Amino acid sequence: MGFADFVSDAGLSMLNGWLTTRSYIVGYGPSQADVVSFKGVKEQPNPAKYPNAYRWYKHISSYESEFSSLPGDPSKAYTTYGPEKTEATLNPKDAPRVADAEEEEEDDLFGSDEEEDAEAVKIREENLAAYKKKKEGKTKPAAKSMVTLDVKPWDDETDMKELESTMRNIEIDGLTWGASKLVPLAFGIKKLQVNLVVEDEKVSIDDLQAQIEADEDHVQSTDVAAMQKL
């Protein structure tokens, strides 16, 4: 049962035949079945003679750096995979004729084996779980901006501490208040300059300015002094 060898013409022909309708040894994604079979092939298959095996070999080689993390049982030998029945042996000199191997492959191509089906289902589920985990790990971070606002009072008698306290009481999901300072304007009047970080999809700067300017007892106007994407 399974592959016999990947050294003889018969063994490589069997592998080539097995991969005629498959991209992987089992299942629908790379697994330890492909890893152990890949390692069993001593050299790259001849593309003219074994086109399917060559295609598979080149594809699996691209996962070489991930071999240890691929799903499946790494302790299984490659001889546990492949056609259900074969007369090929592990000794290349005793391997059957290529035609025999191809005939056996054709007989088994559409056959079913409960143990193999269970292994294929297991590999597919592990591949899907690994793909989902990998995709979740690559969630795009929220786009953010750092903004500097100038908040101007009515006159030099405006209580700037109350102005700032009222402003900082504004809470919006995605808004983080930063440091602030008073900057002289003219005639003893000082403006409040404040830094803040916003998530672009959650916070509208125009709406934020409107909320700050709603404090008409203290705020005359607001301006965006600077904005930088993070």
Side-chain angles (χ1 to χ4, degrees), residues 145-151 164 167-168 170 174-183 191-198 205 208 212 223-228 230:
S145 298
M146 177 179 286
V147 182
T148 299
L149 283 181
D150 283 345
V151 183
E164 181 172 4
M167 178 192 71
R168 288 184 180 274
I170 297 173
L175 166 65
T176 302
W177 293 105
S180 63
K181 63 180 180 180
L182 294 175
V183 180
K191 66 180 179 180
L192 177 68
Q193 192 169 80
V194 59
N195 294 322
L196 52 117
V197 175
V198 297
I205 299 300
L208 176 60
I212 296 173
D223 293 302
V224 175
M227 178 181 289
Q228 180 180 354
L230 298 180

Side-chain angles (χ1 to χ4, degrees), residues 89-109:
T89 68
L90 290 174
N91 190 339
K93 69 182 180 62
D94 295 326
R97 294 182 299 110
V98 173
D100 292 341
E102 290 177 346
E103 289 171 2
E104 290 172 4
E105 175 61 21
E106 289 177 1
D107 291 338
D108 185 68
L109 196 57

Side-chain angles (χ1 to χ4, degrees), residues 8-222:
S8 66
D9 285 344
L12 288 172
S13 292
M14 187 178 298
L15 175 65
N16 189 68
W18 181 255
L19 295 167
T20 299
T21 58
R22 298 172 175 84
S23 296
Y24 304 97
I25 298 299
V26 296
Y28 303 96
S31 67
Q32 292 300 323
D34 296 285
V35 173
V36 70
S37 299
F38 178 87
K39 292 179 178 179
V41 179
K42 301 306 179 184
E43 59 182 26
Q44 179 176 288
N46 186 319
K49 195 171 184 179
Y50 313 110
N52 299 319
Y54 171 80
R55 166 184 51 78
W56 165 84
Y57 187 90
K58 292 289 288 183
H59 179 55
I60 298 303
S61 67
S62 67
Y63 290 94
E64 202 158 1
S65 62
E66 304 175 41
F67 275 2
S68 62
S69 63
L70 293 179
D73 186 355
S75 65
K76 286 188 176 183
Y78 67 78
T79 53
T80 59
Y81 305 105
E84 181 179 1
K85 295 180 180 180
T86 176
E87 295 177 0
T89 68
L90 290 174
N91 190 339
K93 69 182 180 62
D94 295 326
R97 294 182 299 110
V98 173
D100 292 341
E102 290 177 346
E103 289 171 2
E104 290 172 4
E105 175 61 21
E106 289 177 1
D107 291 338
D108 185 68
L109 196 57
F110 299 102
S112 63
D113 181 82
E114 293 182 0
E115 182 179 349
E116 182 183 70
D117 288 344
E119 177 73 11
V121 170
K122 181 180 178 182
I123 294 296
R124 181 175 70 252
E125 290 177 348
E126 290 177 346
N127 279 334
L128 289 173
Y131 173 76
K132 184 177 180 181
K133 184 176 180 180
K134 187 175 182 180
K135 187 175 181 180
E136 289 175 351
K138 290 185 175 180
T139 302
K140 186 178 179 180
K144 296 182 179 181
S145 298
M146 177 179 286
V147 182
T148 299
L149 283 181
D150 283 345
V151 183
K152 298 174 183 177
W154 288 104
D155 52 40
D156 61 344
E157 295 182 358
T158 300
D159 189 330
M160 298 302 290
K161 288 185 178 180
E162 282 190 15
L163 182 154
E164 181 172 4
S165 177
T166 302
M167 178 192 71
R168 288 184 180 274
N169 283 333
I170 297 173
E171 295 182 357
I172 303 175
D173 183 27
L175 166 65
T176 302
W177 293 105
S180 63
K181 63 180 180 180
L182 294 175
V183 180
L185 285 175
F187 307 109
I189 300 175
K190 295 181 180 180
K191 66 180 179 180
L192 177 68
Q193 192 169 80
V194 59
N195 294 322
L196 52 117
V197 175
V198 297
E199 291 185 26
D200 297 343
E201 292 186 359
K202 295 181 177 180
V203 181
S204 165
I205 299 300
D206 289 340
D207 290 346
L208 176 60
Q209 286 181 262
Q211 289 191 51
I212 296 173
E213 291 171 3
D215 180 15
E216 296 180 351
D217 291 337
H218 300 93
V219 180
Q220 180 195 71
S221 63
T222 62

